[in-house]
Amino acid sequence: MADTPPDRAQPYRVLARKYRPTDFTGLIGQEALVRTLSNAFATGRIAHAFMLTGVRGVGKTTTARIIARALNCIGPDGQGTQPTIQPCGVCEPCVSISESRNVDVQEMDAASRTGIDDIREIIEGVRYAPVAARYKVYIIDEVHMLSKQAFNGLLKTLEEPPPHVKFVFATTEIRKVPVTVLSRCQRFDLRRIDSAELAAYLATLAGKENVRIEEGALALIARAAEGSARDSLSLLDQAIAHSESETITAEMVRAMLGLADRGRVLDIFEKLMGGDVPGALADLTGLYDAGADPLAVMQDLLETVHFLTRLKVAPAAQGFFDGGSGEARRAADLAAKLSVASLTRAWQILLKGLFEVRDATRPISACEMVLIRLAHAADLPPTDKLVKDLLDNSSGPPGPAAPRGPSGSAPAGGGARSISAQSTPMGVAMRAPAPQPESAPTAVLRNLEDIVALAARHNAPILKVALENYVHLVSLEPGRIEFRPHARAPRTLAGDLQQKLKDWTGQRWAVSIASSGGAPTLAEAKQAAKAARFDHAAQEPMVRAVLDRFPGAEIVAVRDVAAEELAAPMPDADEE
């Protein structure tokens, strides 16, 4: 706790506002931005529009206000005539801008003022010279919220503003800003602040506030802030109010944030990978009873898996566990025992489980189910080993299959067809030959397929589709055809077919309609043949083994290997 309580006569200001930087020296973690702006101010190459982008709390609005002060500072003696990268903070422009009362520096929230009328006010105002400052500065926060009309209305003014006008835009969604606007601005990407740098910054502020806080507690706050300075200061404020002792400990911060102890999270993961489900669930229950959020436990397990995987590929990697801690040594030992395949599988299961826990009505139950799933999946062999075992087992006793010819191929009558299988890293691709339709001369129509082929050659796609889907052929003789039309067949199908056959063959055809009977349509026959090929392929021993080993798997295609080999072009003699 703080040694001296704050003055109750003055309203309390949260740390994020109290320690907001007033110049670039107090802006942490943005060295590239500070260097570029310093050079620009020193050489007088100051852009007329700046676009500041980054995640929440990294200093976008703060940077915009510092730029406004730097542009208008006149020095402590009031004699400054040029912009300076180090605003004094005591002159009238600096003070009035800090207090948000300078008439020439206008800050607009685009989230609440999104329309073209708001932009018209800016367009009208830029025509007039500044009243009390060197430049008119327009700061538009969350600029991506502007409407399309507002962006279009701003373009011309943004491209060629008067020399006394500067624009500073801030956004967290840079991709929503039109490229026509981005091309007119000098863009700065404010990066997330490193956790170590953020922890050091918090330690400095804690000293100014006379607050005793452990380094472990500062590290927890910095990690929970995810690179946001404002979030870290808000969490530090909360930790000061939460603590009832003289020193803020890591255990207090962990309880306040609902975080799980990293050592116990490592215990859970080690037990899961060892198959000790009851022990892992008991540890999870202990963390939950102590106040840990199940979603935070899932996130810590994911970070643990990520850290272990990095240790496998880069033994000197640093990350989730401190390098010199006992947990880091335990993690290194555990990483040596696990394979990359098992770690990546654990990552996928936990990543999917993270969303399940987030969306579940009872997160702790969903978390337990994810841990149980992970423990059982840890014993599964890698996919490539499963495929290899299946291929090895396929040479064993064959299951029921259609008879083969003397050479191992299907008989000439077309009963059984050979199947070839090719192993891949993720599964088995199965291919079987399909029957090839025979071609017929144009003038000799022996079956319905010949008529369909004739329609295709004469570019009659509508009739071709109707013949394939709506014709149940009863009989076909030279000059005469009888069929039963499908219920969805066009009424003019018989007349159209009669006329087309006469035109294509040069002879008269008698087309009659039957009320019953007839063979299946070509589409139905094709579907039945496809189902038969799939059923036949499913009876192959290796394919059957794959389907049994992977519940829910299905055959998606059966390819004609023999036909593909015959259709492949022969290599030239020169190429051989």
Side-chain angles (χ1 to χ4, degrees):
M1 294 290 291
D3 292 341
T4 57
D7 186 3
R8 299 296 179 86
Q10 298 293 331
Y12 178 69
R13 298 181 67 194
V14 296
L15 298 180
R17 294 185 60 189
K18 182 177 181 180
Y19 292 103
R20 169 171 277 173
T22 58
D23 54 33
F24 287 112
T25 59
L27 197 64
I28 63 170
Q30 311 301 337
E31 290 79 9
L33 177 144
V34 174
R35 185 184 309 111
T36 303
L37 289 178
S38 298
N39 294 337
F41 274 73
T43 58
R45 305 174 66 89
I46 305 174
H48 64 269
F50 301 91
M51 178 68 69
L52 307 176
T53 179
V55 297
R56 70 195 186 280
V58 292
K60 298 183 296 297
T61 305
T62 298
T63 301
R65 293 174 180 174
I66 295 175
I67 291 175
R69 284 193 290 271
L71 288 169
N72 291 301
C73 178
I74 59 176
D77 56 0
Q79 301 300 315
T81 59
Q82 297 296 327
T84 174
I85 194 62
Q86 297 176 343
C88 65
V90 297
C91 65
E92 173 55 27
C94 286
V95 174
S96 59
I97 293 173
S98 299
E99 297 176 354
S100 301
R101 57 179 176 83
N102 192 296
V103 295
D104 295 317
V105 177
Q106 299 185 20
E107 187 170 341
M108 187 182 89
D109 179 19
S112 58
R113 302 180 64 185
T114 63
I116 183 63
D117 292 335
D118 302 308
I119 296 301
R120 285 198 184 103
E121 294 181 11
I122 296 178
I123 297 174
E124 291 294 326
V126 298
R127 297 186 301 173
Y128 303 102
V131 176
R134 185 180 297 116
Y135 290 99
K136 273 194 168 185
V137 182
Y138 292 92
I139 300 173
I140 303 181
D141 204 3
E142 301 300 336
V143 68
H144 66 274
M145 299 292 287
L146 289 178
S147 66
K148 182 179 179 180
Q149 293 79 6
F151 274 125
N152 291 336
L154 186 62
L155 285 180
K156 190 59 179 177
T157 303
L158 184 60
E159 183 175 10
E160 297 178 356
H164 59 268
V165 174
K166 303 291 184 182
F167 290 95
V168 185
F169 303 126
T171 179
T172 55
E173 300 286 345
I174 190 64
R175 296 189 179 186
K176 294 183 180 180
V177 180
V179 66
T180 50
V181 173
L182 291 176
S183 64
R184 291 164 166 83
C185 302
Q186 193 172 96
R187 174 176 167 177
F188 293 95
D189 290 82
L190 279 72
R191 66 178 184 86
R192 293 179 184 269
I193 305 172
D194 182 72
S195 295
E197 188 174 6
L198 200 53
Y201 176 65
L202 294 177
T204 302
L205 298 188
K208 293 180 180 179
E209 291 290 313
N210 297 321
V211 173
R212 298 188 183 93
I213 182 169
E214 294 180 353
E215 291 186 5
L218 291 173
L220 286 174
I221 292 175
R223 182 166 65 93
E226 298 180 342
S228 170
R230 183 175 61 231
D231 286 6
S232 67
L233 291 175
S234 298
L235 291 175
L236 180 60
D237 239 338
Q238 184 179 351
I240 295 173
H242 178 80
S243 177
E244 296 180 351
S245 60
E246 293 184 355
T247 303
I248 302 175
T249 63
E251 288 74 15
M252 292 179 183
V253 174
R254 187 175 290 110
M256 178 191 75
L257 299 177
L259 300 177
D261 183 12
R262 295 188 185 184
R264 299 185 67 179
V265 170
L266 187 61
D267 290 339
I268 292 176
F269 184 74
E270 189 172 8
K271 291 177 181 178
L272 289 175
M273 301 308 287
D276 185 8
V277 180
L281 294 181
D283 288 349
L284 175 63
T285 302
L287 289 175
Y288 182 70
D289 293 340
D293 183 9
L295 187 62
V297 175
M298 293 297 299
Q299 292 172 334
D300 283 352
L301 283 171
L302 274 168
E303 292 201 37
T304 300
V305 173
H306 174 254
F307 180 71
L308 294 177
T309 308
R310 289 189 63 193
L311 285 180
K312 291 291 293 185
V313 299
Q318 299 292 326
F320 189 61
F321 297 101
D322 296 333
S325 64
E327 289 85 0
R329 290 189 292 272
R330 286 179 52 206
D333 295 339
L334 181 58
K337 301 175 184 177
L338 299 174
S339 65
V340 174
S342 62
L343 288 171
T344 53
R345 182 166 50 204
W347 172 268
Q348 293 295 333
I349 294 174
L350 290 172
L351 187 62
K352 183 176 184 296
L354 180 70
F355 298 102
E356 296 177 1
V357 174
R358 184 195 64 183
D359 299 333
T361 55
R362 183 170 168 76
I364 184 61
S365 300
C367 186
E368 290 179 348
M369 294 301 296
V370 173
L371 297 190
I372 294 172
R373 188 191 314 157
L374 176 59
H376 286 274
D379 296 332
L380 293 177
T383 305
D384 55 349
K385 185 177 185 300
L386 286 175
V387 174
K388 182 177 182 300
D389 293 343
L390 290 172
L391 293 175
D392 293 341
N393 294 335
S394 64
S395 60
R404 303 280 174 159
S407 62
S409 60
R417 287 176 292 274
S418 63
I419 293 181
S420 71
Q422 178 183 0
S423 64
T424 64
M426 295 303 295
V428 178
M430 293 155 286
R431 297 182 282 184
Q436 296 295 315
E438 299 180 1
S439 61
T442 302
V444 180
L445 305 179
R446 295 172 296 182
N447 49 44
L448 188 57
E449 288 87 343
D450 292 344
I451 301 178
V452 171
L454 187 62
R457 284 196 295 271
H458 286 83
N459 195 23
I462 297 178
L463 180 60
K464 175 180 176 293
V465 172
L467 291 172
E468 290 175 336
N469 293 276
Y470 304 136
V471 171
H472 297 270
L473 185 64
V474 177
S475 64
L476 176 62
E477 301 173 0
R480 184 178 182 279
I481 180 173
E482 182 180 6
F483 69 91
R484 175 174 60 86
H486 191 273
R488 298 175 59 186
R491 295 184 179 182
T492 61
L493 177 58
D496 294 343
L497 178 60
Q498 184 178 22
Q499 182 62 43
K500 292 296 184 182
L501 288 176
K502 178 183 177 182
D503 296 341
W504 295 337
T505 62
Q507 64 184 41
R508 293 181 178 275
W509 279 77
V511 180
S512 58
I513 297 205
S515 59
S516 61
T521 66
L522 294 181
E524 293 172 348
K526 183 178 179 181
Q527 186 63 31
K530 179 180 178 181
R533 291 198 305 271
F534 276 40
D535 291 341
H536 178 67
Q539 299 307 316
E540 287 294 316
M542 188 189 69
V543 179
R544 187 75 263 163
V546 172
L547 296 176
D548 293 340
R549 183 67 66 90
F550 299 97
E554 60 181 11
I555 302 173
V556 297
V558 180
R559 298 172 56 188
D560 189 344
V561 179
E564 291 178 357
E565 292 175 351
L566 290 175
M570 296 294 294
D572 296 336
D574 295 339
E575 294 179 357
E576 295 180 352

